[in-house]
Amino acid sequence: MNTAVYKILLVDEDQVFVRQTRQLLITQSYDIHTASSEEEGIIICQQQQPDLIICGAHLRGTGGHHFIMALRNDPGFDHIPLIFISVKDNKQEMRMAMNLGADDYLARPFRKRDLLLSIRSRLGRFAKFNHVHTPDETRSVSLANSSTAQQALYHRLGKAENRIIKMIAEGKSTKQMADELNVSIRTIENHRYRIAVKLGIAGRNALTEFVIRNIIQQQKQ
């Protein structure tokens, strides 16, 4: 993997940890950007569009969980893989981070190798989200028979959400989606909920029915 092209945002108020981690990642030829607060992190996301984010549990003025929520609530950033770093090694803390949308969880202290392997895995899994869709791929995800209003709604979805729409159309289960994207089932369920809210539909199976119904309409054209 050519790591030189990948931008990584490191968000943490612990400057010693930031400095040490930044130096480690620079040796791997990653392009590193740092922030110590949620606001700084969002600004850098807007300016740099990082390929991956490493977020600590404690940020200046707030916590890492708030940053994850802000990131996942923005369709422009919710596709970015995020590794959450905590000083607590317990299931409750890990479950909270993963439920909010973190893609991996590491507790300090951890081995340098574990962080590097997690980064490479996340970048490898999510690299497909960052390519430009061909016309055929675009047709497979978008709705050919949608109204202008529906099309506008689809444009509001993030890259990860559009990928999930496509996987629903392919008939994949929540577990299959979680395995393929290397995230938790809860993360997929959170994505499905946010997609349904953005599309203005409700009900446990409403999103699946919505996608299938539009596939049938498309096939009739």
Side-chain angles (χ1 to χ4, degrees):
M1 179 183 294
N2 180 10
T3 59
V5 300
Y6 290 108
K7 294 180 182 180
I8 296 179
L9 170 60
L10 175 58
V11 189
D12 200 300
E13 71 169 356
D14 185 337
Q15 294 305 302
V16 174
F17 173 73
V18 168
R19 184 171 61 253
Q20 293 174 343
T21 304
R22 181 176 183 273
Q23 186 58 43
L24 169 65
L25 299 182
I26 286 176
T27 64
Q28 302 297 309
S29 299
Y30 292 114
D31 180 11
I32 308 302
H33 300 266
T34 63
S36 59
S37 69
E38 175 185 331
E39 182 180 8
E40 289 177 348
I42 295 298
I43 291 174
I44 292 177
C45 283
Q46 293 170 341
Q47 295 174 341
Q48 300 294 331
Q49 290 293 316
D51 298 292
L52 180 139
I53 296 172
I54 299 172
C55 177
H58 301 290
L59 310 183
R60 192 178 70 242
T62 186
H65 295 111
H66 293 88
F67 177 75
I68 298 177
M69 288 189 287
L71 196 76
R72 294 311 185 218
N73 285 332
D74 191 319
F77 307 137
D78 70 349
H79 66 286
I80 303 175
L82 184 144
I83 300 171
F84 190 77
I85 306 295
S86 177
V87 294
K88 298 179 181 179
D89 187 10
N90 62 62
K91 291 183 178 179
Q92 182 178 1
E93 177 79 1
M94 179 178 67
R95 187 176 297 111
M96 178 182 294
M98 300 297 279
N99 285 349
L100 290 174
D103 299 293
D104 200 4
Y105 179 99
L106 293 175
R108 296 168 56 185
F110 51 79
R111 295 181 301 173
K112 295 178 180 178
R113 180 174 179 272
D114 290 338
L115 177 60
L116 294 177
L117 287 175
S118 180
I119 290 172
R120 290 167 188 165
S121 176
R122 256 34 56 190
L123 288 174
R125 287 282 188 174
F126 285 83
K128 57 186 140 184
F129 291 156
N130 299 322
H131 76 289
V132 177
H133 292 296
T134 65
D136 286 341
E137 289 174 320
T138 303
R139 282 194 296 271
S140 68
V141 177
S142 64
L143 301 179
N145 199 35
S146 295
S147 66
T148 302
Q150 285 177 316
Q151 291 288 357
L153 286 170
Y154 269 83
H155 287 304
R156 292 176 56 192
L157 301 182
K159 293 182 181 179
E161 292 171 334
N162 273 299
R163 174 59 178 161
I164 288 173
I165 285 283
K166 183 178 179 180
M167 295 171 82
I168 293 173
E170 293 169 349
K172 294 182 179 178
S173 66
T174 300
K175 184 178 186 307
Q176 287 173 322
M177 286 187 265
D179 290 343
E180 184 169 332
L181 299 180
N182 198 26
V183 298
S184 68
I185 289 176
R186 183 62 178 171
T187 297
I188 297 295
E189 291 174 343
N190 287 341
H191 276 304
R192 290 178 63 110
Y193 172 77
R194 288 197 295 270
I195 293 169
V197 170
K198 291 177 182 179
L199 296 180
I201 55 180
R204 180 173 179 81
N205 298 315
L207 180 58
T208 300
E209 293 171 356
F210 179 86
V211 173
I212 292 174
R213 183 169 64 251
N214 281 281
I215 289 174
I216 293 173
Q217 290 177 353
Q218 184 173 347
Q219 289 173 344
K220 290 180 179 178
Q221 302 303 311

